[in-house]
Amino acid sequence: MLCSADRRVWCLSLLGALTMFLVQPPADLWRLAWLAPLPWLWLIQADTLGAAQPWRVLWVGGLCYWLSAIHWLRLPHPATSIGWVALSAYLAIFVPLFIWTSRRLVHRWRWPLVVAAPLAWMALEQLRGWLLGGFTLAALGHTQWRWTELIQCADCFSACGVSGIVMAVAAGICQMLPERGVRYRMGHALCGAALGTGVLAAALCYGMWRMAGEPLPHGVPLEVLLVQGSIDTELKHDPAAAEQVVRQYDRLTVAALEAYSAGLPTPARPDLIVWPETMWRYGLLEIDAAHVLPESVVEQMLGPAVGSDLAAAADARQLRCQRALEQERLDGVGAFARRYATTWLVGLDKQIFTPLVPAGVQNFNCALFLDATGKVVDCYEKMHPVVFGEYLPLAERFPWLYRLTPLPAGLTAGTEPVAVRIADRCVATNICYETTLPEAVRSLVLTLEKQDRRPDLLVNLTNDGWFWGSSELDMHLTSAIFRAVEVRTPLVIAANTGLSASIDGSGRLLKRGPRRETATILARVYPDGRRSPWLVWGSWPTGMCVAIVAVVMLEGWLFASALRIVDRPADQHLS
């Protein structure tokens, strides 16, 4: 039988998991977010938890929350269910850490709840954005993406800052509510409520000020055609279906171009056409001159060697074959670019065959820019592959590790951002989950700015066909909204199966494609140009919160160690 204290901790832990889940997609009861943390805040405010093993109970609550929130991680492949459980178990640790850290600040350091809880929450959201490659989806602040004035402060403190505001208001409400086992102090409650209200009011005033300084649209907009097919991942990975994938995207593109030119005396084109991640199914090849192709491949491409070619020109035949194979892939994609007669940004794979790596080949996830003549303008290689999803640590040195997983091979990370000038505007790109990493987008913009190529537009290429139209699509889109605000740069998304979108520099969702259906979106993009404090100081403010939490943890560990020494019997002290 559970005692009353145990039952209370169990009930509040699981109730908090439920309310926090309900404010995220798919339920998306976003207005409830201001009350959702209350069960966990009551546990912080209580004079004592009293339960036998409260931290394990809180971890179970966190596990229930994360299993529900990221349920979509089980969809791509049966093996990803293992990752779903493992990632949820890891993320669940942050719930007892949040409550323990906040309790130390409230009960030992005598900080008000309305300060302690937001600080601890922002610190731990920042930590999970740093550790193990970073996981920022389902942030508390993400629930408020519709409240445009509120999320403007993300250009100072990123999405973590918006989460802190929501938690501060919830803490202020918590202090106003009488709770069994907690001594009610009217002055303390009013002070907390006033502080929470003041934080919200300050954020809204800042947001209105920033939006009042928003530049008015001027000049000619950059017209971007976003092509959204609906290709489930199983189909995409079927080698026989490559032609079907390309055919669907080509049909959508041609139909959209015809509609664009309808009624005009002469054919016209948008400035840029965008296909999503890896939707051109015939990847590029680069072959190192030191790589030796099998003779059967050389003969298939060039025919059998004859006469003096048999010995003297073997190396020359190898080189000719390598260049022919590379050009064959470029010719195919170039022909489509010439048909579209405008700049085309398309997602595809690239393989580099080289004896310089143990596996003999490097795989890249790329975004290729081609001009209206079919010539390659530039190629971006994804710089932040997803750990365990797109590569395994140490697998470049030990390729046999991939035989233990469903992954056929891993991605190699690119090394530098790419920006291309289109219609006198600078356009940069990233791929898939890179929009969920605030520091990655900040680094991209800063690097290009130092090269005097600050982007006027960010283009994200995504394939969310893995997730079958689930709530992952909503979480992914919300992350992009916050990235646009943080760096004050419009952002468009071309996403296979959705959700394609156009977002301005204030985080307004101007256009959105459907879920798991085909569509085309014509986005007319005006540059923003406002400066962002986030670009200047990055994660320093939330990093200070992390530092304070680290001190609290260290102090708690030293305090617990000192108690263990004092509690030892005398003979143990002497031994």
Side-chain angles (χ1 to χ4, degrees):
M1 290 287 293
L2 294 174
C3 69
S4 60
D6 284 323
R7 285 197 299 270
R8 182 174 182 276
V9 174
W10 271 107
C11 289
L12 290 177
S13 175
L14 295 176
L15 180 59
L18 175 62
T19 55
M20 293 291 277
F21 165 70
L22 289 175
V23 304
Q24 299 288 350
D28 203 18
L29 304 177
W30 64 278
R31 293 181 180 86
L32 181 63
W34 304 90
L35 303 175
L38 283 178
W40 292 346
L41 291 170
W42 283 326
L43 290 171
I44 296 168
Q45 195 169 231
D47 291 332
T48 178
L49 295 181
Q53 295 176 326
W55 310 119
R56 293 185 184 180
V57 174
L58 293 170
W59 178 82
V60 171
L63 180 64
C64 292
Y65 165 64
W66 282 108
L67 285 172
S68 303
I70 60 171
H71 69 94
W72 39 262
L73 197 55
R74 62 190 165 81
L75 299 174
H77 188 279
T80 62
S81 294
I82 300 172
W84 168 52
V85 174
L87 180 59
S88 297
Y90 155 69
L91 294 171
I93 296 170
F94 289 92
V95 173
L97 276 179
F98 163 63
I99 294 173
W100 181 86
T101 304
S102 300
R103 284 185 60 82
R104 296 289 295 184
L105 288 169
V106 170
H107 297 285
R108 182 166 176 81
W109 290 34
R110 302 299 178 188
W111 285 23
L113 179 66
V114 76
V115 175
L119 184 145
W121 189 268
M122 287 190 294
L124 294 172
E125 274 201 2
Q126 184 63 66
L127 264 181
R128 70 178 173 95
W130 283 344
L131 300 177
L132 301 180
F135 187 89
T136 64
L137 296 177
L140 183 59
H142 285 180
T143 62
Q144 303 304 303
W145 65 266
R146 299 169 181 84
W147 198 347
T148 308
E149 291 84 3
L150 177 65
I151 68 173
Q152 299 311 302
C153 64
D155 77 347
C156 290
F157 307 112
S158 77
C160 291
V162 181
S163 297
I165 293 167
V166 177
M167 186 60 73
V169 173
I173 294 171
C174 182
Q175 290 188 210
M176 288 291 293
L177 299 176
E179 167 67 6
R180 190 180 66 179
V182 179
R183 185 173 57 185
Y184 190 76
R185 292 173 289 182
M186 179 61 74
H188 183 70
L190 291 175
C191 182
L195 188 54
T197 304
V199 169
L200 176 60
L204 291 175
C205 288
Y206 176 80
M208 289 185 284
W209 173 68
R210 286 297 271 167
M211 292 182 69
E214 186 176 29
L216 296 174
H218 63 278
V220 179
L222 185 73
E223 294 189 322
V224 183
L225 178 64
L226 307 171
V227 184
Q228 175 182 308
S230 186
I231 305 291
D232 292 327
T233 298
E234 287 185 349
L235 180 62
K236 176 201 148 188
H237 280 284
D238 179 1
E243 183 179 348
Q244 182 180 346
V245 173
V246 172
R247 189 184 300 121
Q248 181 184 110
Y249 273 88
D250 179 57
R251 185 174 64 250
L252 289 168
T253 304
V254 171
L257 291 176
E258 289 175 352
Y260 182 87
S261 295
L264 298 177
T266 57
R269 291 290 185 264
D271 300 303
L272 175 65
I273 298 171
V274 185
W275 283 20
E277 174 189 16
T278 65
M279 287 300 109
W280 179 263
R281 298 308 303 144
Y282 309 101
L284 299 182
L285 288 178
E286 289 185 14
I287 305 173
D288 193 310
H291 178 80
V292 179
L293 295 170
E295 187 59 31
S296 60
V297 174
V298 177
E299 288 192 5
Q300 184 179 359
M301 289 296 297
L302 304 180
V306 294
S308 60
D309 285 348
L310 195 59
D315 289 344
R317 280 172 56 83
Q318 277 281 332
L319 187 60
R320 284 171 54 206
C321 183
Q322 291 171 0
R323 300 295 84 82
L325 287 169
E326 293 173 350
Q327 192 60 44
E328 182 180 53
R329 299 296 182 92
L330 288 171
D331 288 344
V333 71
F336 278 71
R338 288 191 293 274
R339 283 181 62 224
Y340 302 149
T342 189
T343 306
W344 181 31
L345 174 59
V346 56
L348 42 61
D349 298 318
K350 180 170 73 173
Q351 289 183 306
I352 297 180
F353 289 89
T354 173
L356 302 179
V357 297
V361 61
Q362 293 177 307
N363 299 282
F364 295 88
N365 187 350
C366 298
L368 184 71
F369 285 93
L370 300 106
D371 66 16
T373 67
K375 179 183 176 183
V376 173
V377 179
D378 214 331
C379 183
Y380 170 72
E381 298 165 354
K382 186 176 182 181
M383 299 173 64
H384 304 277
V386 178
V387 63
F388 300 115
E390 293 177 319
Y391 78 99
L392 297 178
L394 303 178
E396 283 208 352
R397 182 174 293 273
F398 305 108
W400 54 266
L401 288 172
Y402 286 108
R403 294 199 294 270
L404 307 177
T405 75
L407 292 174
L411 291 183
T412 301
T415 57
E416 58 184 7
V418 163
V420 170
R421 188 156 290 277
I422 301 171
D424 203 32
R425 301 284 164 77
C426 198
V427 178
T429 186
N430 62 16
I431 296 175
C432 200
Y433 273 5
E434 289 182 318
T435 52
T436 71
L437 303 174
E439 289 286 1
V441 176
R442 174 177 179 267
S443 175
L444 178 148
V445 172
L446 285 177
T447 300
L448 293 173
E449 188 174 52
K450 290 177 182 176
Q451 301 170 1
D452 201 24
R453 296 189 296 162
R454 191 190 192 286
D456 299 303
L457 172 66
L458 297 175
V459 183
N460 177 253
L461 279 58
T462 286
N463 175 22
D464 276 342
W466 297 92
F467 302 109
W468 301 79
S470 68
S471 53
E472 184 276 344
L473 278 62
D474 305 271
M475 293 183 178
H476 199 173
L477 173 60
T478 301
S479 294
I481 290 171
F482 278 83
R483 301 298 86 80
V485 177
E486 287 163 0
V487 298
R488 292 297 178 191
T489 304
L491 191 152
V492 297
I493 305 165
N496 179 50
T497 73
L499 298 165
S500 300
S502 174
I503 306 161
D504 71 10
S506 292
R508 296 186 191 90
L509 186 57
L510 304 178
K511 292 185 178 180
R512 176 168 62 180
R515 186 185 307 269
R516 213 175 170 200
E517 295 179 14
T518 62
T520 56
I521 295 174
L522 182 63
R524 292 182 169 88
V525 180
Y526 292 91
D528 189 293
R530 286 174 290 175
R531 297 297 303 168
S532 164
W534 163 253
L535 287 175
V536 177
W537 58 56
S539 297
W540 274 104
T542 47
M544 293 299 294
C545 296
V546 173
I548 292 171
V549 165
V551 171
V552 171
M553 291 180 178
L554 179 62
E555 184 262 354
W557 177 74
L558 292 175
F559 183 75
S561 299
L563 283 181
R564 284 195 295 270
I565 293 173
V566 170
D567 289 342
R568 287 180 188 170
D571 57 339
Q572 290 188 20
H573 283 289
L574 295 173
S575 61

